[in-house]
Each structure stands twice: as C-alpha cells, then as structure tokens.
Amino acid sequence: MDILISNWSNVEFVPKTYIFPPESRPGKLEFPDCNDIPLIDLAHNNPDETIQQVIRACQEFGFFQVINHGVSENLMDDTMNIYKEFFKLPGEYKAKFYSNDINKSCKIFSSTLSYDTDEVHYWRDTFTHRCHPLEEHIPSWPDKPTNYREVVSEYSIETRKLFNKILDMICKGLGLKSGYFEGELSKTHLISVNHHIPCPNPSLTLGMPVHSDPNLITMLQQGEVPGLQILKDGQWIGVKHIPHTLIVIPGLQLKVISNDRFMTPVHRVVTHPKEARTTIGVFLGPSPEFLIKPATTLIHTESVFRAFAYPEFLEAFVGLAKFDAQLALNHFRTKS
C-alpha cells in the first residue's frame, strides 16, 4: 500500500496500522461545537480595546479567531485551492518531495516524521516548507500546480505581515519594548498543510496527534470540513469553521516569554467519513541559536522558566515528553 494516503482511492476500511487503542480513539462521532472562542475584529476603531481582547484571549483561552485581518479572501481561496490541487497530483510527482528528514526544507510525509517506527499511523499527509527568506527557499518549492510559487509567495508575505501585527499588539499589551519579537525570535517561518482523505470509520483513528504547538505562534486557515478540536474543561469540543477567518494559537515559546501568563491549548484533529479535509498552518519560531526565556519586564518576583535554546526544548518536547506540553515545560521550570 502506498505510504501517502492522498494517493489512495476507494478506501473501504481502516487499515490495522491506523486503528488506535480504544483509550486513544475519538469513539463517538458527534462532538459539541465551542461557541465562546474569542472572535476579534482587527479593524476595530479602538486599537487599545483590540489589544486587550488579544491579551485576554491569550491568557484565558489560548486560542482566538480574527476577522478583517488584511489577508484577502481571494488570496485565501486561491491558496486553499492550490493545496487541494497539489494533493491530487500524481503520486510520482509528490514522491519527489517525500522525506522523513526533519532538516529537509521542503517535504511531504505521512502520519509523522517517525512513520517507519510509529506503532499507529495518523490519517494524514503533510506538506511543509520554509518561507523566509523567500528568495532562499522558493527554488525548492513545487512548480506544480503551475501558479504554486506565485500564490504561496504572496500568502507567505501577507501572513507574515499579520503575524507581525499581532505580535506587535502582544508587545504593547504586555508592556514589552517595541519590536521585541522581531529578528531571531521569529526567524523561522514555515507553512505546513495537512490533508486528510475521507475515512471509512472516523471513530477508530485520528487525523493528528493530541498536542500543543511548541513554536512561537501559529495561524490556521481551516476549510469547510470540520475536524479541529480543542480540549476545554476536560472535554473535546469542535472549532466551527467561519469563512475567511484565521485562527491564532499562541505557542509554548510565547507561554515561556510571557512568564506563564499565556495559555497554549491542547488540540487534535478527527477525520470525516465522506469529505477530504485540508488545513493550512503557518508557523513562526525562533532561530536554533536564540535563547528563549521569560521577558525581563514580566519577572516581578521570579522567573518561572530557565533559559534554553529551541532545539533543546524540541528534544524534550518530542523525546522526553512525547508531545506532552506540561511535561516538556516542567523540564524547564525553575521550581517543580
């Protein structure tokens, strides 16, 4: 069987290697939608109020959606269509990009980068590549669909502008110096697109691991097919698709920099029985050499976390904690 599930067709049953143990399965197919996710209008005529809304969302929910964000609806639609087309391309073309090498800048893989050793596989293909600086990475991007590089370049530029705007608002809201997140702290810029084909029995498998985002900050563009869920008050709840909104998720590095003021939600993806699902994720993170630590102005009595480089955190997050955010963070806390 082909490793990439986007090459499969007419799937009638869930292969054994994709069936999770009973305690890890989603089980039921119906989940409540979350109706209180903050929805923030970035074009609000009171900038100070918008900043406070962003800070409250980061502190109380760890998750918010934005409208009037500056990324055009046409560009969002074009980019989503590009990726839907990409996953439909012949397997021979996609095979050129297949890799489980974490250091390869442009790659497609299935389930996780540990596919060969995973006991159970996730029901997804992921296509990911670096986006900054553009001129350095574009040559490694696909040339199919024919307008891929043109559309995704523009999308990368516009979403980076939006990231900078939101991070600037966080700076002001936390009382940090202007430009605190610029440079090495947000140098790594990735786009990562998950594609899930229809699943014959969504109760048996998962589209993504249960996890929190380890990077600085994440932006998601959902399609119309549901699947994203967050863990709230011990219950999995669905994140309803609102056309042309973007979801913003503060990552674990932002939690550390805020000296534990911000939340980073636990989330997962479930599959759909009838429709394919494609989601675009854009991720900012620090350069490997940069030391992450709580911002000095936010340390009133003590620093909750010790300083570390991002690769050290990732090693603890993936290897030691097995994607458990709290276990990983506890490894760097100054007090247990």
Side-chain angles (χ1 to χ4, degrees), residues 262-273:
F262 284 0
M263 294 177 62
T264 301
V266 175
H267 50 290
R268 70 178 187 183
V269 170
V270 295
T271 59
H272 196 278

Side-chain angles (χ1 to χ4, degrees), residues 1-2 5 8 11-20 115 119-121 123 197-201 204-205:
M1 182 178 283
D2 200 311
I5 67 169
W8 299 0
V11 183
E12 296 180 355
F13 62 92
V14 178
K16 184 178 179 180
T17 52
Y18 289 81
I19 298 176
F20 278 76
Y115 182 93
E119 292 183 10
V120 186
H121 300 315
W123 196 267
I197 64 171
C199 177
N201 190 343
L204 298 178
T205 191

Side-chain angles (χ1 to χ4, degrees), residues 40-60:
I40 299 175
D41 184 351
L42 295 186
H44 193 279
N45 57 12
N46 187 336
D48 291 338
E49 172 58 26
T50 305
I51 289 170
Q52 289 310 308
Q53 287 177 1
V54 168
I55 297 299
R56 282 197 300 270
C58 291
Q59 291 176 329
E60 299 171 8

Side-chain angles (χ1 to χ4, degrees), residues 108-125:
I108 188 171
F109 60 92
S110 197
S111 182
T112 73
L113 291 173
S114 304
Y115 182 93
D116 293 336
T117 56
D118 283 343
E119 292 183 10
V120 186
H121 300 315
Y122 293 93
W123 196 267
R124 68 161 176 180
D125 287 346

Side-chain angles (χ1 to χ4, degrees), residues 15 18 39 44 56 59 71 82 89 215 247 255 288 320:
Y18 289 81
L39 181 63
H44 193 279
R56 282 197 300 270
Q59 291 176 329
V71 182
I82 281 282
L89 289 171
N215 52 300
I247 296 169
K255 181 178 178 67
L320 178 71

Side-chain angles (χ1 to χ4, degrees), residues 1-36:
M1 182 178 283
D2 200 311
I3 289 176
L4 294 177
I5 67 169
S6 55
N7 294 339
W8 299 0
S9 60
N10 303 318
V11 183
E12 296 180 355
F13 62 92
V14 178
K16 184 178 179 180
T17 52
Y18 289 81
I19 298 176
F20 278 76
E23 66 275 11
S24 302
R25 299 173 191 171
K28 63 179 183 177
L29 300 181
E30 297 294 329
F31 291 88
D33 283 329
C34 185
N35 296 313
D36 55 353

